[in-house]
Amino acid sequence: MAHHPAADADPDADAEVAVRAASAGAAVARARYNTGSRRTADRGLDFTTEADVETERAIRDVLAELRPGDAIVGEELGSSGDGRRRWLVDPICGTLNFAAGMPLFAVNVALDIDDVTTAAAVADPAAGDVFWTDGVAAWHRTAAIEAETGADRRLQPASSSRLVTVNLESSFPDDSGTRLLSDEVFRARFSPRFLSTTLALAWVATGQQAGYITGGDLRGSVHWTAGIALCRAAGAVITNLAGDELHTGDHGLVAAADAETHAFLLDRLHTADGEAA
């Protein structure tokens, strides 16, 4: 299995900065998990907690130290700085899960340079995993892997799990995403999941899930950018809902472990769309 020596990673590289920032955030989120973090803002069913803000501050501290001239766009603390280099930060993606004591949440950090993502990291605080990319390949880092091999493992998408997440919190053209869930052909091949966190998108890159489907305009989003970068670098097939280039047309996203799975998901999604017409 191909792997990248963690010991040889350039500590000054943007990808390593992304890993360090995401890891710092993950440490705070993990420490605050199941401690009853107080809600600080409610937006209907959605809300923010003190832990979200503290996690983002930990990430910003790393970026301020290592990339002081870069701009930052954060989910909780807004925008700071200006320029071609812009860090996108989602400190706890899956706040409702986090607050409910469900260990399904992620820390997302990505660097866009002139709107091209060149480095990203997604941390899973509960599992102790960090998935990262330098824009060329994608890797998995944990303390256990480093202790065993001294190396990060290359991510490899796979469809063998037969799990596909459909993001029901997003909007789909003609509700095709919702109808997909009752499609017998789809359900005969894949088992649908409904997870309120973009950690599930990262799992397409890792091979833990066969696919991920969501609606919505995802351009420049602190929620989605890191996971999209992971999938692309790992070699997953990723398009908009129409099967065209991401961030165009119908927008949304279909990410799949391989071309065959992607074609199947698109076909069933369009069949569900067509049945509504």
Side-chain angles (χ1 to χ4, degrees):
M1 177 182 296
H3 55 276
H4 175 83
D8 294 340
D10 181 357
D12 295 323
D14 287 330
E16 192 65 21
V17 172
V19 170
R20 290 178 62 178
S23 297
V28 173
R30 187 162 48 245
R32 291 303 308 270
Y33 181 56
N34 275 334
T35 62
S37 180
R38 184 175 64 87
R39 298 186 186 190
T40 58
D42 285 282
R43 300 180 292 271
L45 290 177
D46 197 7
F47 55 83
T48 296
T49 72
E50 292 174 323
D52 290 82
V53 176
E54 291 171 13
T55 299
E56 182 167 326
R57 284 179 176 148
I59 294 168
R60 285 175 174 266
D61 285 346
V62 172
L63 297 178
E65 176 187 355
L66 300 178
R67 294 293 185 270
D70 291 356
I72 302 174
V73 178
E75 169 73 1
E76 306 301 338
L77 300 176
S79 300
S80 61
D82 196 9
R84 299 173 52 238
R85 297 170 53 91
R86 184 177 61 153
W87 293 90
L88 305 177
V89 176
D90 186 359
I92 298 180
C93 186
T95 297
L96 275 70
N97 294 339
F98 174 87
M102 294 178 59
L104 295 171
F105 53 93
V107 176
N108 296 324
V109 177
L111 172 64
D112 275 7
I113 302 178
D114 294 332
D115 296 322
V116 175
T117 307
T118 59
V122 176
D124 179 347
D129 294 321
V130 180
F131 311 115
W132 64 275
T133 178
D134 56 5
V136 178
W139 308 90
H140 178 195
R141 180 177 302 181
T142 67
I145 289 176
E146 290 191 48
E148 178 184 352
T149 66
D152 293 353
R153 291 177 182 165
R154 184 104 174 234
L155 297 185
Q156 180 63 57
S159 60
S160 55
S161 71
R162 300 299 181 190
L163 302 177
V164 173
T165 287
V166 180
N167 178 24
L168 296 182
E169 292 188 334
S170 65
S171 60
F172 290 87
D174 298 316
D175 294 327
S176 57
T178 303
R179 278 190 296 275
L180 179 67
L181 304 179
S182 60
D183 179 74
E184 294 183 0
V185 176
F186 169 71
R187 293 179 66 91
R189 180 168 176 180
F190 292 105
S191 179
R193 292 292 183 271
F194 326 108
L195 302 175
S196 179
T197 170
T198 57
L199 182 60
L201 174 59
W203 286 341
V204 176
T206 69
Q208 292 167 273
Q209 294 218 42
Y212 185 94
I213 301 171
T214 185
D217 187 343
L218 315 180
R219 291 175 293 182
S221 170
V222 298
H223 306 293
W224 304 96
T225 301
I228 289 170
L230 279 178
C231 285
R232 282 175 160 163
V237 180
I238 185 166
T239 67
N240 69 5
L241 293 176
D244 298 324
E245 185 177 350
L246 200 61
H247 305 320
T248 65
D250 289 339
H251 289 287
L253 176 152
V254 178
D258 51 58
E260 180 185 4
T261 299
H262 183 267
F264 177 85
L265 295 178
L266 275 181
D267 176 72
R268 301 322 302 169
L269 191 64
H270 292 164
T271 297
D273 189 8
E275 288 173 349

